[in-house]
Amino acid sequence: MLKLFSVFLLTLSPMIFMAQPPAKGPLDKKTFTVTIYKEGKKNPYDQDELKFNTGKFKSVFFADWGFTKASIYQIISVDSTSSPTKIYSWTAETISDIKEKMMWSGIITGEDIEGTSEVVNAKGETKYSFTFTGKLKKKPRKK
């Protein structure tokens, strides 16, 4: 039994000690407070927080719709030529408990964010379309 345990430990130890931490991206540890608008409407639909952390994206508001798992976000492009502030274009796709997809795309310029999102059913039909705009959430000051 001890021999079996030793073999198991020796086999598993490289995986434990050599495991890579999640990749850190330039958007990680950033939270944006946004106003959501249903497509074609002038009045705000609701408020949301969009969170980027350890390479993943999550919407707090749409978690109530069943989009509870954070998904990997991708930075499509980074523009640093047009201004001193970098402009990030990003996308993400979240899947709900009932297999609907919410596809996100946006642009982050400094502390500003804007973009679109769509809820698509299992047949690939768009159920809802939204736009959003917002700002980087300020961290609370220490006392």
Side-chain angles (χ1 to χ4, degrees):
M1 182 70 166
L2 183 59
K3 190 175 190 179
L4 181 62
F5 179 73
S6 298
V7 170
F8 177 75
L9 187 60
L10 288 173
T11 306
L12 198 57
S13 63
M15 289 183 248
I16 294 170
F17 296 111
M18 295 175 66
Q20 297 287 328
K24 181 166 172 32
L27 302 181
D28 284 352
K29 296 187 179 182
K30 294 187 189 272
T31 299
F32 292 86
T33 303
V34 299
T35 303
I36 303 169
Y37 298 89
K38 203 166 189 181
E39 188 175 285
K41 304 290 183 185
K42 291 183 182 179
N43 293 330
Y45 184 74
D46 218 316
Q47 300 295 311
D48 197 359
E49 282 191 356
L50 305 181
K51 297 182 176 201
F52 296 86
N53 200 18
T54 61
K56 294 188 177 186
F57 166 83
K58 185 172 186 176
S59 159
V60 174
F61 175 76
F62 286 104
D64 290 342
W65 286 33
F67 297 95
T68 55
K69 292 185 179 177
S71 71
I72 295 172
Y73 69 85
Q74 293 181 320
I75 295 176
I76 303 303
S77 67
V78 179
D79 179 4
S80 58
T81 59
S82 60
S83 74
T85 303
K86 289 184 180 179
I87 301 170
Y88 297 95
S89 297
W90 61 274
T91 62
E93 184 177 290
T94 55
I95 299 174
S96 75
D97 303 334
I98 58 171
K99 305 300 181 218
E100 291 179 326
K101 291 181 183 177
M102 189 154 194
M103 297 179 295
W104 296 83
S105 63
I107 296 174
I108 297 172
T109 307
E111 294 187 354
D112 298 324
I113 188 170
E114 64 181 51
T116 61
S117 61
E118 288 187 335
V119 177
V120 178
N121 65 19
K123 295 178 185 177
E125 302 163 333
T126 301
K127 290 178 63 178
Y128 304 103
S129 295
F130 301 96
T131 61
F132 59 89
T133 60
K135 294 247 179 227
L136 183 67
K137 184 176 181 178
K138 301 289 183 190
K139 294 181 181 179
R141 293 184 180 193
K142 294 182 181 180
K143 294 180 181 182

